[in-house]
Amino acid sequence: MLIVDNNEALRDNLAECRSRNQTIGLVPTMGNLHAGHIALVKKAQALADVVVVSIFVNPMQFGQNEDFNTYPRTLGTDSLALCNVKTDYLYAPTSDQLYLNNNQQALAEQQTTVYVPGLSEQLCGEFRPGHFQGVTTIVAKLFNLVQPDVAVFGEKDFQQLLVIKRMVSDLNYAIKIVGVATIREKNGLAMSSRNQYLQAGEREQAAELYRTLLRVQERIERGNRNYQVLEKMAMQELRDVGFQPEYVAIRASSNLSLPEVHTTDLVILVAAYLGNARLIDNLRLIIDL
Ligand code: AMP
């Protein structure tokens, strides 16, 4: 595996790959890698000749009071994990490569940004203003630098996946976007770098988030179509077991719009705090009308 920390080396190496007619897959991450990230790398390897994994904690997608400074940075163990699965390139840029100043002023200083209105303003976007603008701007930068044929993202960040697909379609990027199903702990908790913020006892409790989604799914499958009531019920159930939920939402999985009577492809999305950890999860289901 070659580790590159600057844009020039990245471009030179990838130009050589392209001259050998190799296709390129990109897996953008913020590091602190777990089995979920590795599943994306393996998917990219199945779809492209050469795989680039990026590790960059993007200041522009963090709010002022969020965890940019404390986000776990573990480049040493991450590079070992990527080496073990035979990643071709690790792009871990030094702080001056993507923003003028790599700090939380990035949002203010970056004059050109990419923004997908509508999709970016609801659900997580409502609770994290500016977050998706930070995501789409950094992903656009990575797409321009790497020029991949395919880019792989996790369905765990379901709204993010839809926002990126929309950006790619609106801006005519010739990049195939592929989603990978959420990798979970044995107890059902979706793997996440932020799970580290959970205290010892909270890990088991955190699995209630997924169990709540499963219960909502079961109620819908049993014929309950009163989505607003189901959302409120799930919010209360989460509060009862110690979460501070931001939202539970049942939406159309194609575009996150409110389901209509004929909508069959649904996604149940949730965001909730457990102690200091903000956790998100989702579950897709297809219903018979
Ligand atoms: P992050 O490093 O958290 O920004 O995530 C980088 C990529 O890994 C994103 O596309 C995430 O959706 C994906 N990802 C994170 N956790 C999981 C998981 N448990 N299963 C599958 N993909 C994941």
Side-chain angles (χ1 to χ4, degrees):
M1 182 174 79
L2 197 67
I3 304 180
V4 289
D5 69 358
N6 69 87
N7 299 341
E8 208 183 330
L10 180 71
R11 284 201 155 110
D12 288 351
N13 277 285
L14 295 179
E16 273 184 38
C17 296
R18 260 179 233 108
S19 72
R20 293 193 290 266
N21 282 329
Q22 289 175 308
T23 56
I24 297 168
L26 171 67
V27 181
T29 82
M30 298 205 300
N32 193 244
L33 303 181
H34 50 65
H37 296 110
I38 300 301
L40 307 195
V41 176
K42 291 194 169 153
K43 185 69 179 181
Q45 287 172 329
L47 297 171
D49 300 322
V50 168
V51 170
V52 181
V53 176
S54 64
I55 294 185
F56 179 65
V57 183
N58 171 34
M60 199 176 156
Q61 71 187 69
F62 288 80
Q64 284 302 328
N65 300 319
E66 293 184 0
D67 54 342
F68 174 66
N69 289 320
T70 52
Y71 197 85
R73 289 159 171 87
T74 52
L75 192 56
T77 46
D78 289 349
S79 39
L80 277 178
L82 291 173
C83 215
N84 280 339
V85 293
K86 300 192 167 25
T87 305
D88 301 286
Y89 294 98
L90 165 57
Y91 171 59
T94 53
S95 61
D96 56 340
Q97 295 296 295
L98 292 168
Y99 294 110
L100 221 51
N101 290 302
N102 192 30
N103 58 31
Q104 287 206 278
Q105 299 313 310
L107 182 58
E109 289 175 358
Q110 177 82 15
Q111 297 216 345
T112 309
T113 65
V114 179
Y115 183 49
V116 181
L119 263 183
S120 297
E121 285 153 9
Q122 49 186 308
L123 304 174
C124 280
E126 193 183 325
F127 291 91
R128 304 183 70 190
H131 168 68
F132 286 115
Q133 189 174 12
V135 170
T136 36
T137 300
I138 195 71
V139 171
K141 281 170 181 269
L142 292 169
F143 283 179
N144 294 334
L145 285 164
V146 175
Q147 298 179 27
D149 298 278
V150 52
V152 182
F153 295 86
E155 287 180 2
K156 176 181 169 254
D157 299 272
F158 190 78
Q159 187 176 6
Q160 168 175 285
L161 180 60
L162 287 191
V163 168
I164 287 165
K165 280 185 175 165
R166 185 63 200 241
M167 172 185 87
V168 163
S169 147
D170 285 354
L171 296 183
N172 301 93
Y173 277 111
I175 301 172
K176 185 176 177 195
I177 303 300
V178 174
V180 169
T182 303
I183 306 294
R184 300 178 180 281
E185 306 281 358
K186 275 206 190 78
N187 67 8
L189 173 64
M191 287 192 181
S192 164
S193 309
R194 290 196 166 96
N195 291 351
Q196 293 188 16
Y197 302 148
L198 295 167
Q199 306 295 316
E202 288 172 343
R203 283 212 158 226
E204 205 37 55
Q205 201 183 349
E208 279 299 327
L209 201 61
Y210 184 52
R211 289 198 271 274
T212 303
L213 290 178
L214 290 172
R215 275 197 305 277
V216 176
Q217 176 187 39
E218 204 182 303
R219 287 164 189 153
I220 296 172
E221 279 173 349
R222 274 203 245 108
N224 193 330
R225 298 286 180 269
N226 212 332
Y227 297 137
Q228 282 191 342
V229 172
L230 290 176
E231 289 169 357
K232 283 203 183 106
M233 201 189 289
M235 292 276 279
Q236 190 53 49
E237 286 171 356
L238 285 171
R239 278 188 211 102
D240 291 345
V241 290
F243 286 86
Q244 292 161 280
E246 286 184 342
Y247 64 81
V248 175
I250 301 165
R251 298 291 177 91
S253 63
S254 56
N255 60 7
L256 299 183
S257 63
L258 293 174
E260 314 230 5
V261 278
H262 56 265
T263 310
T264 53
D265 292 31
L266 300 177
V267 58
I268 314 160
L269 308 109
V270 61
Y273 272 92
L274 184 59
N276 290 328
R278 183 180 185 275
L279 305 175
I280 59 169
D281 203 348
N282 68 83
L283 192 59
R284 289 176 69 179
L285 72 152
I286 298 176
I287 52 171
D288 294 328
L289 290 179

